[in-house]
Structures are given as C-alpha cells and as structure tokens.
Amino acid sequence: MGKKGRHFILVGLLIALVLGTLLGTMRGASMHDATKAHDAVASAAAERRSFDYEVLAPARLDYEKEKLQQDTLIKAGFDERILAESEIELTIARARIEDAESTSDKYKEIEAEARKAYEPHSGWYSAYSIIKFSGKLFLNLLNMLVIPLVAVSIMTGILSLGDIRHVGRTGLRTITYYLITTAIAVCIGIILVNIIGPGTGMEESSTIAGRVRGKEAVGILDTILRVFVNTESPGKGAFPKNIIAAMGEMNVLGVITFSLIFGAALTTVGEKGRVVVNFIVGLNEVILKMVHWVLLLLPIGVFGLIVSRLAEVGGGTAVWVELSRLAWYSITVVAALGIHAVIVIPLILFIFAKKNPLHYLKNLAPALLTAFSTASSSATLPTTIECVEKRGGVSRRSASFVLPIGATINMDGTALYEAVAVIFIAQVYGVPMDMTMLIIIFLTATLAAIGAAGIPEAGLVTMVVVLNATGLPLEGIALLLSIDWLLDRCRTTVNVWGDAAGAAVIDRYEKDGKYEVA
C-alpha cells in the first residue's frame, strides 16, 4: 500500500471516529429505542405463533375429532344417551376453541399494538441495521484473516531468522520484554488505585453476575495449566489435540505453537523443504495483499462499530450515566493506562528501540484506532503488522515473529485493569489490602493476563482467578460490567501499543546482532 493510500485510511479513520461518536451519542438513544420496539414486535409475533401452534391448533383438531366421532355415532344409530355424551364432549371442545381463539385474538392485538409502536422507529431501525452490518462485516473480514496471517507470519519470521538457535534467542527476548512491561503495568495500576481509592465509600452491590457462575473453582494453577493443555475441547490450549479445530475455534495461541514448531522444523530440512519455503513466502505475500484490500474498508468498519456499540448501550446519555456512577473507578483505570501508554512505553521506545515515540505513535494511529473500535488485539493484528512494517520501519522478520505472539500473550492493559478492578472491589467491600495481598494480586494479574488467550471469556475468567486468589467475593464483578465494554477498548489499545513497541525493541536488538533479514 502506497503512502497516499495510508494517509487516506488515516484521515478516513479520524473522520469515521468523530462522525461515529457524534452520531452514536446524539442518535444512539433513537436507535436503541428502535431496536427495543423491533424486538417487542418479534417477541409478540413469536408468542402468538407459539400459542396458535401449541394451543389453538390442537383445540381445533380435538373439535374436528369429536365432530367426526359424533357424525359416526349418528350414522351408526346409537341411542340417545351415547349421543348426549358425545354432544357434551363436542360442546367442551367447542368451548376450548372459543377460549383459545379469544386468547389468540388478544395476542394478535398485542402484536398489532407492538407493530403500531414500531412504525415511527422503523427508519432508525433500518439505519441501525445497515450501520451495524457494516461494522460486523469489517470485523468478520479481519477475523477471517487472523488465523492464516498468524500462521504464515510466524513461519515466515522463523525462516527469515535462518539458524534455529536464533529462533530461541529471539523468542526469549520477546517473552522477556512482554513479561517486564506487563509487570510494570500492574505495578502502576496497584499504586494508582491505592492512591486514589475509587472504591472507598461506594455502596456495595448485591447483584450476582450470572456469567461468573461455574467458574468459582478456577485457580491460578488451573488457569496456567489450561493455557498449555485444555481438556474441554480438542481445539483449545497452547498444545491442542487438533490443529484444524484450533483454527476453527480461533485459538491463536495453539496456532502460534504449531507454526513455531513447523517453521523451526522446516529450517532443518534443507533443500528438500525449499518448495514448502517458497510456498509459505508466496502465501505470505498473498495474505498481505488481502490485508491491504480489507484495510480500505477500515473507516467504514470503524464508523459502524462505534455507532452500533453506542446505540446498544442507549446513546450518549446512558454512557454518561454509567461513567458518572463509576467516575473515580473509570478515572483511575484510564489514568493508569495513560501513564503506561504515554510515559512508560515511549521511554522504552526511546531508550531501547532508539525511536522517536511521537513519530512512531503517529505511524501506529490506524492500528490503535482499530484496536479501540474492535476491542480485540487479534482482530487488530492485520492492521498492526501493516503499520509497524510499512509505516514504523520495523523489519518484516521482527514484525511477523513478534506481533502475533504479542497479540496473544502481551496484555499490559488487561493486567493493569485486572489489578485496579480487584483492589477497587476490595475497597468497596471494605477488605484491607496488606503487602501480602498486593503481591498476590501482582503475580496473579500478571500471569492470568498472559494466560488469558487460551481460556473462554478470557477477561472475565482471569478476573475470577485474581478474586479467588485474594478471597474477594465474585459478586463484585457485577459492579463493573456496565462500564467494562468502554474500558475494554482503552486497555486493548494499550495492549496493541505495547505489542508495537515490543516489535521495535526486538528488531533493534536483532539488527545489532547482525542477523540480516532473509
């Protein structure tokens, strides 16, 4: 993609973000009401059809049977007593039909009223449906490319390293970097939440979040072990039983493991593997071209995702109500993420990668805006690789090796968020946090965030892990669910920013080691 194309996408992204936010804020409530009205029509129609099928139709069938039986008795010349009994049964069946028809008419009236109430909202529902479709289409296109992009990028990165020993060294550097930055992020979160104390004096919630039920027994050891081998499904875990199932279940960690082993083995085959090497290199170029095509839809996709999400929560007013209710908590999370994103990561870029942080941030803008819109590091991966390599000046070897791993295990923002959230819950419930508890939170938040990729409902389960480790009530999660969708976008953006910084740092040290890109 040329320079003009990249500038077009960036400008389009900014316009889409502004327009999407304005439309979602100002008209999100109208779209929200329209979806509720449409759902009411669908629900009323479903209830009416269900009643007609389960009650009215059988009542009519019973009446027809009784009528047929009476006609048969009359023709056979049975006595009046038997005919009278048959008439009674027929009368009862007729009464059932009348009752059922009366109830069915009431359901029809309810449906008609729902349709009448929906008519003024039909325009907004159509607009919402089209806008949501554009966002979902873009997100599906991104997700469609994630698995092939991860697999081929990892293999290409390993092949470009050449000697198998370089793979181990680069991998060790990558994982070490991610562990250190994640630990720093958790420390920032712990310090800031203790200074601000957002949960102090807040009324505790008695609502139990149903989504955490069944996960109460999940511990940190179970979580870590399930990252590597998950017996729930052949496609889960870092070492899945079935790599095809892993691809089907979007298990990026399992695909990375397979790709690392496959690529490493391919470097040892020699001339016999040359055909496979050429195929993988060519396939990588094809997938990157597909990524370029999808990125042309980036502004439309971002607009659709932003508007539809704001409409789902009820527009700008509803968002403001939730922000106000959890204001200090939201401020704490955003401030901690801001410190890590604006101070820590730029310092790492400047000191270790020898790059201008502001210039690198500008080059990463499309990826960061995509991360905020999709709330998914994996879905953002195609955009991240494109920006880091084409705009950020990082070699293809480092970008294709480091970024897929980072999108899976590097969760700076998530780990920081978990630490802040757990201590906030402790403050709400009046549970004191001593140094031992803080150390437990530090360790579990760091490890659980890294292991989140191999677990269903990753953020929720890792939160349960940290709460269990500290003995805090799981009901506290209910306090956070209403605003979590928005903060999730912020922490995902920080995750992607950390991934991109890691690629630049590793690339600099690889170049200093004089390992040229193949």
Side-chain angles (χ1 to χ4, degrees):
M1 185 180 294
K3 188 174 181 180
K4 289 184 178 179
R6 293 195 293 269
H7 283 170
F8 169 79
I9 289 175
L10 179 57
V11 172
L13 260 177
L14 293 173
I15 294 174
L17 192 61
V18 173
L19 292 180
T21 303
L22 287 174
L23 181 60
T25 300
M26 297 172 64
R27 295 300 181 185
S30 299
M31 295 182 188
H32 183 73
D33 292 341
T35 56
K36 290 176 65 177
H38 181 270
D39 291 344
V41 172
S43 177
E47 288 181 1
R48 190 259 306 163
R49 287 194 297 267
S50 177
F51 180 83
D52 288 352
Y53 177 77
E54 295 176 3
V55 179
L56 182 58
R60 285 173 173 168
L61 184 61
D62 289 343
Y63 176 78
E64 293 297 330
K65 288 180 180 179
E66 293 294 339
K67 180 67 174 174
L68 180 61
Q69 184 177 1
Q70 187 184 58
D71 292 342
T72 303
L73 293 174
I74 293 173
K75 289 179 181 178
F78 279 87
D79 58 40
E80 293 183 0
R81 183 180 61 81
I82 296 177
L83 290 175
E85 291 177 355
S86 177
E87 181 65 30
I88 292 172
E89 294 294 332
L90 188 63
T91 302
I92 293 173
R94 188 183 296 112
R96 287 175 183 166
I97 288 179
E98 292 174 354
D99 289 342
E101 288 178 341
S102 176
T103 304
S104 180
D105 289 340
K106 290 179 181 178
Y107 277 119
K108 289 178 181 178
E109 290 176 5
I110 293 173
E111 182 181 351
E113 289 176 2
R115 291 186 183 280
K116 185 176 180 181
Y118 168 69
E119 286 178 3
H121 300 283
S122 59
W124 281 116
Y125 181 77
S126 299
Y128 168 77
S129 298
I130 295 171
I131 291 171
K132 185 177 181 179
F133 170 80
S134 66
K136 288 291 183 182
L137 175 63
F138 173 70
L139 200 56
N140 284 358
L141 287 172
L142 282 180
N143 283 319
M144 179 180 68
L145 294 174
V146 166
I147 293 298
L149 179 64
V150 167
V152 176
S153 294
I154 287 286
M155 293 177 192
T156 305
I158 290 176
L159 293 173
S160 68
L161 291 173
D163 192 332
I164 192 68
R165 290 173 295 180
H166 299 165
V167 177
R169 177 162 56 189
T170 304
L172 182 61
R173 284 174 173 170
T174 302
I175 293 173
T176 301
Y177 167 83
Y178 288 149
L179 281 172
I180 291 173
T181 55
T182 301
I184 293 173
V186 173
C187 287
I188 292 172
I190 290 175
I191 292 171
L192 206 61
V193 72
N194 279 287
I195 292 174
I196 297 176
T200 305
M202 183 174 175
E203 220 174 286
E204 68 181 63
S205 171
S206 59
T207 305
I208 299 177
R211 289 161 58 192
V212 305
R213 290 174 183 169
K215 300 179 176 65
E216 292 84 351
V218 178
I220 186 64
L221 180 59
D222 295 329
T223 300
I224 295 172
L225 293 178
R226 287 173 62 190
V227 168
F228 295 98
V229 177
N230 193 320
T231 57
E232 292 181 1
S233 168
K236 288 185 170 65
F239 296 90
K241 292 180 182 178
N242 189 327
I243 188 60
I244 304 301
M247 292 180 177
E249 296 184 20
M250 292 292 289
N251 177 11
V252 179
L253 188 59
V255 173
I256 286 176
T257 302
F258 176 83
S259 302
L260 286 170
I261 297 173
F262 185 90
L266 191 56
T267 62
T268 65
V269 175
E271 193 61 31
K272 293 181 180 179
R274 179 55 54 186
V275 175
V276 181
V277 171
N278 291 336
F279 172 75
I280 290 174
V281 172
L283 185 60
N284 186 54
E285 294 297 328
V286 172
I287 292 174
L288 288 177
K289 177 60 69 175
M290 293 175 67
V291 170
H292 293 165
W293 289 348
V294 172
L295 291 183
L296 294 175
L297 299 175
L298 193 56
I300 297 174
V302 166
F303 176 80
L305 290 169
I306 291 293
V307 174
S308 61
R309 185 58 203 177
L310 286 171
E312 286 172 11
V313 298
T317 303
V319 175
W320 177 250
V321 169
E322 292 303 330
L323 281 173
S324 301
R325 191 173 71 86
L326 296 170
W328 282 111
Y329 168 70
S330 303
I331 290 171
T332 304
V333 172
V334 173
L337 291 173
I339 291 172
H340 189 70
V342 177
I343 298 176
V344 175
I345 293 179
L347 282 175
I348 291 173
L349 274 170
F350 182 75
I351 296 171
F352 297 101
K354 304 299 182 184
K355 285 186 176 290
N356 184 327
L358 291 177
H359 184 66
Y360 197 64
L361 178 65
K362 177 184 174 183
N363 292 329
L364 262 292
L368 299 179
L369 289 173
T370 304
F372 184 83
S373 303
T374 62
S376 171
S377 298
S378 295
T380 309
L381 184 58
T383 317
T384 309
I385 292 178
E386 165 74 16
C387 291
V388 167
E389 183 184 333
K390 301 297 183 183
R391 298 165 60 93
V394 174
S395 69
R396 176 174 294 187
R397 178 192 64 185
S398 297
S400 60
F401 183 85
V402 176
L403 289 174
I405 297 175
T408 307
I409 69 171
N410 184 41
M411 302 290 172
D412 293 359
T414 301
L416 183 154
Y417 173 82
E418 305 253 345
V420 172
V422 170
I423 296 176
F424 168 77
I425 292 171
Q427 292 172 350
V428 170
Y429 284 91
V431 179
M433 289 278 106
D434 56 18
M435 186 55 65
T436 302
M437 293 284 278
L438 293 178
I439 292 174
I440 291 174
I441 291 173
F442 170 79
L443 292 175
T444 52
T446 302
L447 295 175
I450 292 172
I455 303 171
E457 296 182 87
L460 189 63
V461 175
T462 51
M463 180 78 73
V464 173
V465 169
V466 185
L467 287 171
N468 276 328
T470 54
L472 292 170
L474 298 181
E475 294 89 336
I477 294 179
L479 293 165
L480 315 177
L481 293 180
S482 62
I483 199 63
D484 182 72
W485 68 271
L486 181 59
L487 298 178
D488 183 26
R489 282 160 162 70
C490 299
R491 62 182 185 256
T492 301
T493 306
V494 174
N495 289 343
V496 172
W497 177 222
D499 295 345
V505 171
I506 300 302
D507 186 57
R508 184 246 170 160
Y509 279 93
E510 290 298 300
K511 288 178 179 177
D512 285 353
K514 304 187 187 307
Y515 300 119
E516 299 299 327
V517 179

